[in-house]
Amino acid sequence: MEVNKTYERLNVVWDRIEKVIILLVDAALNYYFIRVVQKQLIKPGLTKYRPLVRFNLWMIILSLAMDCLIIGK
């Protein structure tokens, strides 16, 4: 059985679109998490969580960069 070239190309395009959607959802959820932590923990005065937030920001950046590498592949 032969596969139509149109379907092969559509599969490649949809794969990238799907990965971009996942990247956007991941970014939105991470942004929401950081905003909630800052609003509910740091702003009221629990400054001991600042290093944890800073670490999470670096991990978020790394995670989003890896997602971008997967899309670019």
Side-chain angles (χ1 to χ4, degrees), residues 8-70:
E8 286 181 1
R9 180 69 183 141
L10 182 63
N11 187 37
V12 170
V13 171
W14 174 248
D15 188 48
R16 288 206 177 172
I17 291 171
E18 184 181 18
K19 289 175 183 175
V20 168
I21 292 170
I22 291 170
L23 171 72
L24 294 175
V25 169
D26 189 29
L29 289 172
N30 284 320
Y31 174 77
Y32 178 72
F33 170 74
I34 293 297
R35 293 295 297 157
V36 166
V37 169
Q38 286 179 341
K39 184 178 180 182
Q40 294 185 0
L41 294 177
I42 294 175
K43 204 169 189 181
L46 296 173
T47 58
K48 67 180 180 180
Y49 290 106
R50 280 191 180 148
L52 178 64
V53 170
R54 195 175 315 120
F55 175 77
N56 280 331
L57 284 172
W58 282 109
M59 290 298 103
I60 289 168
I61 291 168
L62 179 64
S63 172
L64 294 177
M66 290 189 326
D67 287 345
C68 289
L69 286 173
I70 290 172

